Amino acid sequence: MIEIKPLISVENLTVEFPVRGSAVRAVDDVSFEVGHGEIVGLVGESASGKSTLGLSLMRMVPSPGRVRARRMEFDGRDLSALDESQLRQIRGSEISLIVQDALATMNPVTTVLEQITEVVRDHEGVRSRRVLRARAAQALRDVQLPDVEINLRRYPHELSGGMQQRVAIAQGLILGPKLIIADEPTTALDVTVQAQILSLLKQIRDGGTSIIFVTHDLATVAEICDRVLVMYAGRIVESGTVAEVFAEPQHPYTQGLLASLLPLGGDPPKRLDAISGQPPRPEAWPSGCRFHPRCPLWKSKGEPEICVNEDPQPDESRTHWAACHFAGEGVR
Amino acid sequence: MLRYIVNRLLIVVPLLLALTVLLFLYVHAVPGDPIAGMLGPNGTPELVAQIRADRGLDRPLLEQYWSWLSGLVTGDLGVSLISGQDITPIVIARIPATLQLTFAGLFFVILIGFPAGYLAGKHKGGWLDRILSPAALIGLSMPAFWVGTLLILVLGVQLRWFPTGGYVAFEDNAWQSLRLTLMPALVLGITLSPFLARMVRASTAELAHEPFIVQARTRGLLPGTISRRYLLRNAILPVVIVIGMQLGTLIGGQVIVEQLFNWPGVARLLIEGAVRRDYLLVQSLIFVIAVIYIVINLLTEVVHASLDPRVRL
Ligand code: SF4
């Protein structure tokens, strides 16, 4: 069997923000891989570090944040060894970021045409207006935007939310990136448009592009992802294929997330308050297993010391693993 | 756009009407008889009464107001109480000089204020910002007459680079006209640009946190593209608004500067009229200035709308 190298492989990635003399770790010692042409869901609550993790793959965390990693290999290159101008060449052309609020990410005073073509100009040095226009029109047709010629002349605020998101995706796709980081790209949209965008992302995946799909919504993960990484308090706490994780969640946190999902057409879940309490803040991650203050399994087991004192280590030799001392035991 | 302008005018008309009433009452409430003042010791009561009748000052106030107002509507600003000349041609003769100074002043306001504010905001906390921000504060606290006197003393009297005052029409002698414009315009520029600079600095610094600027970087755009198309084009937007906001200050500054540099503009005419208690002149001039103010304000809104596609008039 030939071993196919993953598109991106990250080992021991940490993102630190200096806060009043000490360093706060928004993402703490995370390792994972994303293969070619797969959609990996990155799931977590707000402040779990999932968005920061996405940005850190472009080495773009907001200053004064710092990204450290033992290894950060993207398509055969070491991302952590590149300088700013080399990173610039990768950003937008090989790795694209699509975020939730498309309108806020577009320059309000330039037209759709300008927005889309400026990446082509800056990355490929194309100057011809005719060529740029044709490229932009094609990119918009690729994302199934209607009335391409009219919409090219429009300003971002003149488009509907769904159209804005399509334009944002077209911007991200026009240079044929190998990896798209989609940070809650459908959260702000209504259900029909959401479904359209999700199916568009699947088509993009089928074209060979890998996608990291950052979300707090497990339902969309089930719909489009191949694998899933569950993040809690700056760590990945469970990893596996969507089928494995949804059929047999091993981490109490994942179990809680799944329990709070409304099963389609089935009975409402028995416990909507599956995970009580607030997610912790990066300034004060709990000791040991960071989930222990909220962990129902820990409580049902009589609050064992090990969860408070020892950090559960994942068994990364398996395809499906959870970072929990009692992985798989769960109170289901 | 047209509908917007029409709507605005509909609001403006009653406002202007109220202004005429206020102006008329205010000016007439000022003590002292202008005719008696003009004639001085030579004014026999008979002569004063005759001239008063001649200017229509003996009519009831309401009638005087009405004839003034109906004149305004047709563009007739009335007759100077002192000289008996029609005011309209006098004002029209002064307008080119005032416009020349206004635009030259605005030119310096933008030339000094925008780059300073933009660069300070773009590199907030940097060395340039740390020089420019206190400089703007000092600039804000310098009165126009003081800056003007200083310029006259240094550039005019000491160095003899520029004439200390006066006016030559541009079409008569362009070079001399520009030389004469420079100092008064510079005074307006120096005293009014700090406010613009501060506004531009604040808005530019805020831009740095806008998601679209962050996103531009994740798209690997060239730094030049981000500066020009993202920062600069968005930083220009507040300039027009600030200038609209500062019109009042600009007109105020104009009064001082025209007086100081012996500049025969509308503002100076106003002072001359006030000194001689030519209240019809003062009244009409303030009305004209109010109309100009409203027109320019409307213009800045139109310009702003043309620069910012999100604004629909
Ligand atoms: S390690 Fe302990 S506290 Fe953490 S999830 Fe597992 S059972 Fe809960």
Side-chain angles (χ1 to χ4, degrees):
Chain A
M1 204 175 96
I2 316 157
E3 206 201 323
I4 304 167
K5 280 194 96 177
L7 175 65
I8 186 161
S9 94
V10 172
E11 276 175 35
N12 308 97
L13 173 82
T14 295
V15 181
E16 279 182 345
F17 293 92
V19 173
R20 276 174 259 106
S22 64
V24 165
R25 295 185 165 187
V27 175
D28 193 1
D29 201 21
V30 156
S31 305
F32 66 95
E33 290 177 349
V34 177
H36 292 271
E38 77 173 340
I39 304 185
V40 174
L42 191 57
V43 186
E45 293 163 296
S46 51
S48 62
K50 59 188 197 302
S51 295
T52 312
L53 177 56
L55 275 176
S56 71
L57 298 181
M58 304 179 107
R59 300 257 318 270
M60 268 283 308
V61 292
S63 74
R66 257 173 45 102
V67 180
R68 284 189 294 120
R70 197 150 65 88
R71 211 162 66 88
M72 235 177 133
E73 207 174 284
F74 172 73
D75 202 29
R77 275 158 299 172
D78 182 6
L79 282 180
S80 50
L82 300 183
D83 64 24
E84 192 54 31
S85 94
Q86 289 166 318
L87 284 168
R88 188 192 70 72
Q89 285 166 30
I90 288 182
R91 290 176 192 146
S93 82
E94 295 186 53
I95 306 179
S96 284
L97 176 72
I98 297 165
V99 300
Q100 177 180 343
D101 188 354
L103 181 61
T105 61
M106 294 191 212
N107 191 351
V109 297
T110 57
T111 60
V112 169
L113 174 69
E114 289 176 83
Q115 312 262 350
I116 296 190
T117 51
E118 56 195 6
V119 244
V120 185
R121 246 195 9 231
D122 279 10
H123 281 283
E124 296 181 357
V126 179
R127 286 279 175 276
S128 152
R129 282 173 172 275
R130 209 170 37 79
V131 174
L132 287 174
R133 197 187 174 85
R135 289 278 296 270
Q138 188 55 49
L140 290 184
R141 275 192 283 274
D142 288 346
V143 296
Q144 292 136 33
L145 190 84
D147 306 320
V148 166
E149 287 302 322
I150 299 169
N151 283 324
L152 275 177
R153 285 193 298 269
R154 289 210 166 120
Y155 288 94
H157 70 277
E158 297 174 321
L159 306 173
S160 69
M163 280 153 85
Q164 286 162 357
Q165 196 54 274
R166 280 180 202 273
V167 170
I169 294 174
Q171 277 179 10
L173 277 180
I174 193 165
L175 297 176
K178 301 185 175 84
L179 175 67
I180 291 177
I181 300 162
D183 191 348
E184 309 250 7
T186 59
T187 309
L189 306 171
D190 65 59
V191 187
T192 352
V193 187
Q194 229 176 61
Q196 290 166 359
I197 298 286
L198 289 181
S199 90
L200 178 63
L201 288 175
K202 273 194 258 186
Q203 287 172 33
I204 292 165
R205 185 264 322 267
D206 295 341
T209 306
S210 308
I211 300 175
I212 295 179
F213 192 87
V214 182
T215 184
H216 66 273
D217 178 15
L218 273 173
T220 40
V221 168
E223 207 177 321
I224 73 161
C225 293
D226 303 302
R227 282 198 301 124
V228 55
L229 306 170
V230 180
M231 268 195 99
Y232 186 81
R235 294 257 168 94
I236 294 177
V237 293
E238 180 153 4
S239 162
T241 65
V242 166
E244 290 165 339
V245 173
F246 277 70
E248 232 178 295
Q250 293 188 353
H251 197 281
Y253 177 63
T254 319
Q255 290 162 358
L257 284 181
L258 279 170
S260 60
L261 267 186
L262 275 169
L264 274 177
D267 302 324
K270 288 177 280 300
R271 295 169 300 142
L272 260 175
D273 58 339
I275 309 165
S276 57
Q278 289 296 310
R281 306 285 317 166
E283 304 84 59
W285 295 142
S287 66
C289 171
R290 290 173 182 177
F291 187 53
H292 82 257
R294 296 168 76 191
C295 181
L297 182 58
W298 179 61
K299 282 172 192 138
S300 75
K301 279 192 167 294
E303 313 197 344
E305 287 285 310
I306 184 169
C307 294
V308 185
N309 299 326
E310 268 176 57
D311 216 356
Q313 295 300 319
D315 176 7
E316 288 176 21
S317 62
R318 297 168 33 190
T319 57
H320 180 199
W321 55 257
C324 167
H325 295 301
F326 305 100
E329 290 189 24
V331 272
R332 287 217 76 191
Chain B
M1 172 99 89
L2 201 69
R3 239 189 68 194
Y4 174 80
I5 294 176
V6 170
N7 277 341
R8 278 301 293 264
L9 289 181
L10 286 182
I11 306 171
V12 160
V13 169
L15 251 172
L16 281 178
L17 211 62
L19 179 74
T20 59
V21 176
L22 274 177
L23 265 177
F24 188 83
L25 292 179
Y26 179 71
V27 168
H28 280 262
V30 176
D33 183 272
I35 307 296
M38 172 184 80
L39 295 174
N42 309 330
T44 60
E46 293 76 40
L47 190 58
V48 171
Q50 193 199 324
I51 297 181
R52 282 183 65 92
D54 191 42
R55 304 275 197 266
L57 292 179
D58 53 350
R59 292 177 296 169
L61 271 188
L62 201 64
E63 207 183 308
Q64 286 188 46
Y65 172 72
W66 181 248
S67 81
W68 179 56
L69 187 66
S70 46
L72 287 184
V73 175
T74 58
D76 176 7
L77 298 178
V79 174
S80 161
L81 295 182
I82 307 298
S83 66
Q85 289 171 305
D86 276 344
I87 295 174
T88 311
I90 302 179
V91 173
I92 289 177
R94 299 278 187 126
I95 281 179
T98 286
L99 284 184
Q100 183 173 335
L101 182 56
T102 308
F103 283 114
L106 271 182
F107 173 78
F108 279 116
V109 171
I110 296 170
L111 187 77
I112 301 170
F114 182 73
Y118 175 72
L119 290 174
K122 189 176 170 191
H123 309 287
K124 192 178 164 192
W127 62 270
L128 198 65
D129 186 29
R130 271 178 293 186
I131 296 171
L132 287 175
S133 291
L137 258 183
I138 294 171
L140 269 181
S141 50
M142 288 195 302
F145 75 86
W146 188 79
V147 176
T149 315
L150 200 71
L151 284 188
I152 290 176
L153 283 177
V154 175
L155 299 182
V157 177
Q158 286 286 324
L159 299 169
R160 298 182 171 278
W161 286 353
F162 296 99
T164 54
Y167 168 77
V168 173
F170 190 77
E171 54 275 23
D172 291 344
N173 183 343
W175 172 242
Q176 188 62 13
S177 179
L178 286 180
R179 270 168 56 89
L180 282 165
T181 318
L182 187 103
M183 271 211 286
L186 204 54
V187 174
L188 290 177
I190 290 173
T191 50
L192 298 178
S193 59
F195 185 69
L196 177 67
R198 281 167 61 112
M199 300 293 280
V200 170
R201 173 184 178 271
S203 66
T204 308
E206 259 171 47
L207 276 179
H209 305 289
E210 285 285 342
F212 66 87
I213 303 274
V214 177
Q215 182 75 6
R217 290 180 50 226
T218 70
R219 295 165 67 206
L221 297 179
L222 291 167
T225 306
I226 297 179
S227 286
R228 271 196 320 276
R229 294 169 68 123
Y230 283 74
L231 279 175
L232 203 54
R233 275 180 70 170
N234 284 287
I236 286 174
L237 299 180
V239 173
V240 200
I241 300 173
V242 171
I243 286 175
M245 280 164 54
Q246 269 199 299
L247 272 180
T249 335
L250 186 68
I251 291 172
Q254 196 110 353
V255 172
I256 291 157
V257 168
E258 286 190 2
Q259 186 68 10
L260 199 60
F261 288 89
N262 210 2
W263 191 267
V266 177
R268 191 139 157 270
L269 188 62
L270 184 68
I271 299 179
E272 291 165 10
V275 169
R276 292 196 217 138
R277 295 216 184 83
D278 192 344
Y279 49 70
L280 196 55
L281 181 72
V282 170
Q283 199 175 294
S284 293
L285 263 184
I286 294 182
F287 179 78
V288 169
I289 290 171
V291 171
I292 294 175
Y293 186 97
I294 288 166
V295 169
I296 298 184
N297 238 321
L298 206 64
L299 266 177
T300 57
E301 277 168 47
V302 172
V303 172
H304 180 229
S306 70
L307 285 177
D308 188 343
R310 285 166 299 184
V311 179
R312 280 275 155 271
L313 294 186

